[in-house]
Structure formats: C-alpha cells, structure tokens
Amino acid sequence: MTPTTSDAPLTCDFEGLAIAYDERVLEPRPWTALQSRWAAELVGEASDARLLELCAGAGHIGLLAAHLSGASVVCVDVDPDACDFARANAATAGLADRVTVRCAPLERCVAPDEAPFDVVIADPPWVPRSDLGRFPEDPELAIDGGDDGLDVARACLVHARGAVRRGAGMLLQLGTADQADRLVREAGDLGWLAGELRQGDRGVVLHLIAD
C-alpha cells in the first residue's frame, strides 16, 4: 500500500536511494548510512545473505544495505505507517523482490521455523523518556526508549538472538557511547559478545556478536 496523508510525502536522497516519509515516521538521518555500509561489509559477497532490520521505520537503512550488498532483507516495524513507507520505498528502489516488510512487534519479528539471518540491523528508539520534549518534531513512538533510553534496545537483543546463528553480527544504533557501555555490560547475559563501536554524527553504532 502507498502511504497517504493530506499532503504529499517528503523525499530524501539516502546515498542514492529516494526515500519517502512524512511526519508520522522518523525522518531519515544521513549519518545512519553508517549502519548500511557496515552491514554490507559484514555480509561481503555472499549472494544468498539475509538481513533482518528491526525498528525499520521507512526502511532506508535496510534498503541501502540490501542495495550495497545484494542481500535480501526482512524489515520489521510495529508502526503500520512506517511499514507502508518501507514497502513503497523498496518498490521505488527496485528492491521489492528482495525485501519483505513485516508489521509486527519484536517478539514476532521472525517465525519459529525461519532460517537464521546473517546480520541484524537495529535502529531502536534510544531517547530517554525525560528528554522527549527536546525533539518535538519526531514521532514519540519512534524515539521513546523508556526511562534510560535502552528499553527497546534490550528487547532487540532478546528477540534477535534467536534469529541468528552463533557468530552472526548485530549492528545496534544508540545515542551515546555511555549507552553502549551500559548495554555491553548486559549483553553477555542476553547471548551477545561485544564487538567494535563506531561513532556517527548524531549517535553510535555498536557491533555485537552472537555467542
């Protein structure tokens, strides 16, 4: 379905992909292409690689990763409007045959008998609830990370672990290195080992490895 509002959707150039969105979803940030490029790097030249994108929003990060790598991607978001944009953006990019969009909560992001994914990309809300007022232009659903900003990130770790085999990677976007440090201290109990941390213009990306 093509998303509709009273106004025409906005469009941004996300490293060569035309990504449509509007005020109902989070505006794509150019720096988040760091996740896309890193995911393509992890996948390498495996033509049958499968990516899982959690909290996908308009789908831009996963779509660019698929475009760069040749992999297929399953984009998951709980927001129907975001899912409509992700489907439309996949079609615009000529990637519809390699993209599946699921409108579902994280606990139903994959089927019990689904084959393991090679890389997980996650862009969860990471703004602490007390700071939401600093970002009035952003939809609350897309940025509310709970009291410490890590509630949804923790859920991503829990539900992504069963979707990958041991040694597979996860790229998790967070707001600060302090948040990453806190999550790394918890990650071992959730089945993940800490990898590299890369700094972006407005956040960080943490690489975790399935233990």
Side-chain angles (χ1 to χ4, degrees):
M1 183 195 318
T2 302
T4 59
T5 62
S6 56
D7 300 313
L10 302 170
T11 303
C12 71
D13 183 335
F14 193 68
E15 297 210 351
L17 297 185
I19 302 296
Y21 66 99
D22 66 14
E23 72 282 353
R24 296 171 297 168
V25 300
L26 193 64
E27 178 182 355
R29 272 57 168 178
W31 81 268
T32 61
L34 165 63
Q35 270 180 293
S36 308
R37 294 191 298 269
W38 198 350
E41 176 186 325
L42 291 177
V43 167
E45 298 181 357
S47 60
D48 60 347
R50 300 175 70 238
L51 306 175
L52 174 64
E53 183 182 21
L54 303 179
C55 308
H60 49 292
I61 299 173
L63 294 180
L64 181 58
H67 171 70
L68 293 173
S69 67
S72 62
V73 59
V74 174
C75 300
V76 180
D77 201 285
V78 72
D79 181 2
D81 294 322
C83 292
D84 286 345
F85 274 114
R87 293 186 188 96
N89 288 328
T92 299
L95 296 170
D97 61 331
R98 289 195 276 126
V99 175
T100 300
V101 178
R102 293 177 184 162
C103 191
L106 290 171
E107 58 267 26
R108 292 196 284 110
C109 64
V110 296
D113 58 349
E114 190 162 10
F117 289 87
D118 299 287
V119 175
V120 179
I121 301 167
D123 180 12
W126 45 254
V127 177
R129 189 161 292 152
S130 61
D131 291 340
L132 293 180
R134 296 171 51 201
F135 307 97
E137 72 281 6
D138 293 334
E140 190 170 297
L141 179 64
I143 66 171
D144 184 357
D147 288 344
D148 66 352
L150 294 175
D151 284 0
V152 186
R154 292 185 182 97
C156 285
L157 295 189
V158 170
H159 297 295
R161 183 58 190 89
V164 297
R165 61 174 62 86
R166 187 175 186 183
M170 179 175 185
L171 299 174
L172 181 69
Q173 185 188 142
L174 298 166
T176 66
D178 286 344
Q179 283 187 326
D181 288 343
R182 273 181 282 160
L183 204 60
V184 163
R185 290 195 290 270
E186 303 175 27
D189 292 336
L190 299 175
W192 298 92
L193 302 174
E196 185 182 352
L197 183 71
R198 295 185 185 179
Q199 180 70 52
D201 290 340
R202 295 181 60 180
V204 299
V205 177
L206 174 63
H207 179 212
L208 296 168
I209 303 163
D211 188 12

